[in-house]
Amino acid sequence: MTSASGATAISDHSAFWKKTISIDLDTGERLVLRSPQDALYALVSDWPVNGGVHQQRAIDFCRAWLAGRMPAETVRQAFILAALEAGVPLHDDEDGAEAAVVNPPV
């Protein structure tokens, strides 16, 4: 996305992450997240534990991305920390092969 001044904006609301993230919900459903917008939806709608420090930070980062103030890959890292904090089973897609990320107790 380019502004009137010719500068490239941080946020393109149709942007996708370079690597997807999949999470397993308590219902047994697996969500595949491809962008900060997907992450925001999961964090506010499907998150099993509310009130975590990393959850709130990831929500704030998603909103900053929507406002054009945060790179998408930074939001991705914040989302991963939120998932680890909440004990959400997380699968980080590495080079097309799905690799499980071990969630240590927080």
Side-chain angles (χ1 to χ4, degrees), residues 17 61 70-79:
W17 288 326
F61 278 26
M70 184 73 61
E73 293 302 317
T74 302
V75 177
R76 186 178 186 280
Q77 293 305 312
F79 180 84

Side-chain angles (χ1 to χ4, degrees), residues 2-94:
T2 304
S3 68
S5 67
T8 302
I10 290 176
S11 177
D12 173 359
H13 296 295
S14 64
F16 292 103
W17 288 326
K18 293 175 185 171
K19 294 182 281 186
T20 62
I21 297 172
S22 300
I23 59 171
D24 295 332
L25 302 177
D26 292 339
T27 61
E29 179 183 5
R30 177 169 286 182
L31 289 182
V32 178
L33 309 173
R34 294 177 174 86
S35 70
Q37 194 163 5
D38 292 347
L40 181 59
Y41 178 81
L43 288 161
V44 298
S45 299
D46 296 316
W47 217 241
V49 180
N50 287 314
V53 172
H54 290 291
Q55 177 196 18
Q56 187 57 55
R57 185 173 180 166
I59 289 169
D60 292 345
F61 278 26
C62 288
R63 290 179 176 153
W65 173 81
L66 284 169
R69 298 188 314 263
M70 184 73 61
E73 293 302 317
T74 302
V75 177
R76 186 178 186 280
Q77 293 305 312
F79 180 84
I80 290 171
L81 288 175
L84 292 172
E85 172 185 61
V88 172
L90 177 73
H91 306 275
D92 189 11
D93 187 15
E94 295 281 345

